[in-house]
């Protein structure tokens, strides 16, 4: 990941002391807009509720803004996924409203909430790894 990069960048999440996969985080940067990325993440069910997603996504956001020189990050989640919405809110993402039929889950079109985080907001609100201590 570097300034001007495009593609999908994925990180496997695990504890420093072990090899067990806890989940993953990803950034997708389009060829047509190399200054914005879509954030994705998931934590294995048995490890949820421990702040892992917030720490991992926070580290990835920092990488994207610092090394990737991104200006904006976007994330989408289902309205009923309160845990995912809390992760994004804790990291400074702003709720941009519902995007009707914005995703497909199990072959069905579903509504999603669009969240955004601009570099300027992140830079004035967050220090490196601050999200992990919140």
């Amino acid at each position: 990941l570097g300034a001007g990069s495009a593609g999908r960048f994925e990180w496997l999440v695990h504890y420093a002391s072990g090899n067990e996969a806890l989940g993953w985080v990803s950034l997708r940067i389009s060829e047509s807009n190399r200054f914005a990325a879509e954030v994705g993440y998931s934590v294995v069910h048995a490890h949820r509720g421990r702040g892992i997603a917030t720490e991992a996504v926070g580290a990835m956001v920092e990488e994207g803004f610092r090394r990737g020189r991104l200006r904006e990050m976007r994330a989408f989640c289902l309205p009923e996924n309160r845990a995912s919405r809390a992760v994004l809110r804790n990291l400074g993402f702003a709720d941009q409203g519902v995007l009707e039929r914005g995703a497909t889950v199990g072959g069905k079109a579903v509504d999603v909430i669009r969240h955004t985080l601009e570099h300027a907001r992140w830079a004035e609100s967050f220090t490196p790894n601050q999200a992990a201590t919140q």
Side-chain angles (χ1 to χ4, degrees):
L1 177 63
S5 295
R8 184 175 179 134
F9 302 88
E10 297 180 325
W11 291 266
L12 191 60
V13 178
H14 58 87
Y15 289 121
S17 61
N19 292 326
E20 178 185 9
L22 306 177
W24 57 266
V25 294
S26 71
L27 282 177
R28 285 188 286 183
I29 305 170
S30 168
E31 289 279 339
S32 63
N33 181 358
R34 295 177 186 224
F35 297 103
E38 183 176 334
V39 172
Y41 54 94
S42 182
V43 173
V44 174
H45 188 74
H47 295 285
R48 292 181 182 168
R50 299 179 188 177
I52 294 167
T54 301
E55 183 175 352
V57 174
M60 183 192 58
V61 165
E62 184 174 340
E63 280 291 295
F65 282 140
R66 292 193 191 280
R67 292 186 62 202
R69 304 269 189 241
L70 297 171
R71 294 184 191 147
E72 179 184 79
M73 299 209 191
R74 296 180 292 263
F76 301 87
C77 65
L78 298 173
E80 61 271 16
N81 191 341
R82 295 180 197 277
S84 186
R85 292 172 63 192
V87 166
L88 297 171
R89 184 176 52 253
N90 289 339
L91 293 170
F93 281 77
D95 180 330
Q96 298 294 313
V98 174
L99 181 60
E100 293 183 17
R101 303 172 61 89
T104 303
V105 176
K108 293 178 68 176
V110 296
D111 297 345
V112 291
I113 298 177
R114 180 177 190 248
H115 298 82
T116 60
L117 178 60
E118 294 179 357
H119 179 268
R121 177 180 171 153
W122 174 80
E124 66 187 31
S125 300
F126 291 90
T127 58
N129 297 316
Q130 177 183 358
T133 62
Q134 290 185 342

